[in-house]
Amino acid sequence: MPGLLRGVARTAVVAGTATAVSNRVSRRQAGRWAQQDYGQQQQAYQQAPPQQAPPAAAPSDDMNDKIAQLKQLGELKAQGVLTEAEFEEQKRRILG
C-alpha cells in the first residue's frame, strides 16, 4: 500500500508542476502577443494621416472612460498578462 501512495503522490506532483509550467507559458505568450498588437497599433497610428480632433467631451465622459480603462488594466494585471511595471506605465499614460 505505501508503494501505491508514493506513486499517486509522485503523479500528483508531476501533474501540478506541468500545470504550473503550462500556465506560465500561456501567460508569457499572451503578454508577447499583447506587445506585438500594441506595436502594430503604434505603427498604424504613426502611418495614419492626421485627423481633425473630435469635439471636446464632457468631463464626466472622460472620467468614465479613464475608469473603464483602469479596470481593464487591473483585470489584465490580475490575469498575469501585464507585469507590475507595464501596469504602472499604462496607468500613468491614462491618468496623464
Side-chain angles (χ1 to χ4, degrees):
M1 196 67 154
L4 178 63
L5 289 177
R6 188 175 307 148
V8 169
R10 184 179 306 145
T11 301
V13 168
V14 169
T17 302
T19 301
V21 169
S22 174
N23 288 341
R24 180 171 169 82
V25 168
S26 294
R27 284 193 304 267
R28 289 180 71 190
Q29 284 178 339
R32 287 179 183 157
W33 292 337
Q35 286 177 347
Q36 287 175 353
D37 288 344
Y38 180 74
Q40 290 171 354
Q41 289 174 356
Q42 290 291 48
Q43 282 181 337
Y45 178 74
Q46 291 172 353
Q47 293 173 354
Q51 298 178 356
Q52 187 177 13
S60 63
D61 289 342
D62 186 41
M63 184 58 79
N64 289 337
D65 290 342
K66 287 182 180 182
I67 291 171
Q69 289 176 341
L70 289 171
K71 285 181 181 179
Q72 287 177 342
L73 279 177
E75 290 171 6
L76 290 173
K77 181 183 170 208
Q79 293 171 359
V81 174
L82 293 176
T83 64
E84 182 68 32
E86 293 169 332
F87 173 77
E88 291 298 326
E89 179 183 336
Q90 294 299 324
K91 184 172 79 170
R92 195 171 351 104
R93 287 184 183 175
I94 291 172
L95 296 176

